[in-house]
Amino acid sequence: MKVYQTNEIRNLSLVGHSGSGKTTLTEAILFVTGITKRQGRVDDGNTVSDFDKEEIARKVSIATAAIPVEWGNIKYNFLDTPGYFDFVGEMYGALRASESAVIILDASSGVEVGTEKSWKYLEEKKIPRIIFVNKMDKENVEFEKVLNEIQEQFGDKVVPFTLPIGQAESFKGVVNVIDETAFEYNGKDSKKVDVPADIQGEIESIKEMLMERIAETDEELMEKYFEGEEFTESEIKKGLRLSITNGDLVPLLVGSAEKAMGIDQLLSI
């Protein structure tokens, strides 16, 4: 059995409103990392994390399930928590064992009560978090509308780290804002493509805002920023990590767990 050092282990809770896709996301993660050969479905009662008879019958999570995977030489322990309020104690217990969390949000529903409750608890306990906007491929989904609603509720510290290529039924890939790279998906497989021209302006705007956040993490970086000097790749990574850890920045990523789209970007952040 492989032995992992402490700095090679990440414990993350998956939280959010019931039905947002937490269990489906764990299935996508297991599939993308090669642990399973196909994705299970909640409706079919064959998911890895919902194995209890009651969970299979109800088609909802009742207890927290730990899903260990490896990606990029890091071991991730994803804790799939129930979304129903009846089992909220499971979420609290999982977060006590986690150093960070992923809030899963249904793009077709927007910010729901379970989203708000998860955010409020994470804010109170000062737990770093990521927002994964799931179900980007669903009918009538408009990313700008969803993003505006999220930022109105939780503030401008929520910043897109990936942007969608296409929307609703035409959603086909994502753009990584930091690296300025774009990928289109065919199942879990992705191919690199050119960044769409209509997204370039938005990328530049987001990156400029992120550079300001990075500058705020260190006096030397602030001086460098005001002098018009560009940050190095290591300075950018360090500044982003500090901002996220301090709770001053919440990355937002997009994808479709059901179709395993955008999962590699989530694992690589």
Side-chain angles (χ1 to χ4, degrees), residues 174 179-185 189-195:
V174 302
D179 299 335
E180 294 192 39
T181 52
F183 302 90
E184 291 185 359
Y185 292 86
D189 298 321
S190 64
K191 67 175 181 178
K192 194 172 181 179
V193 297
D194 293 333
V195 175

Side-chain angles (χ1 to χ4, degrees), residues 144-210:
E144 289 300 325
K145 181 180 178 181
V146 176
L147 177 61
N148 289 338
E149 182 182 358
I150 292 170
Q151 291 180 330
E152 284 175 9
Q153 287 285 103
F154 306 135
D156 61 2
K157 68 179 179 180
V158 178
V159 179
F161 273 43
T162 63
L163 296 169
I165 300 175
Q167 301 201 68
E169 297 94 329
S170 64
F171 174 62
K172 59 184 178 180
V174 302
V175 176
N176 184 307
V177 172
I178 308 300
D179 299 335
E180 294 192 39
T181 52
F183 302 90
E184 291 185 359
Y185 292 86
N186 180 17
K188 71 174 181 177
D189 298 321
S190 64
K191 67 175 181 178
K192 194 172 181 179
V193 297
D194 293 333
V195 175
D198 61 336
I199 295 180
Q200 195 61 53
E202 191 172 357
I203 290 174
E204 291 173 4
S205 176
I206 293 171
K207 288 193 76 171
E208 178 59 32
M209 179 169 48
L210 288 174

Side-chain angles (χ1 to χ4, degrees), residues 11-29:
N11 300 314
L12 301 93
S13 288
L14 304 180
V15 301
H17 196 81
S18 180
S20 58
K22 297 181 293 297
T23 298
T24 303
L25 179 59
T26 64
E27 286 296 314
I29 290 169

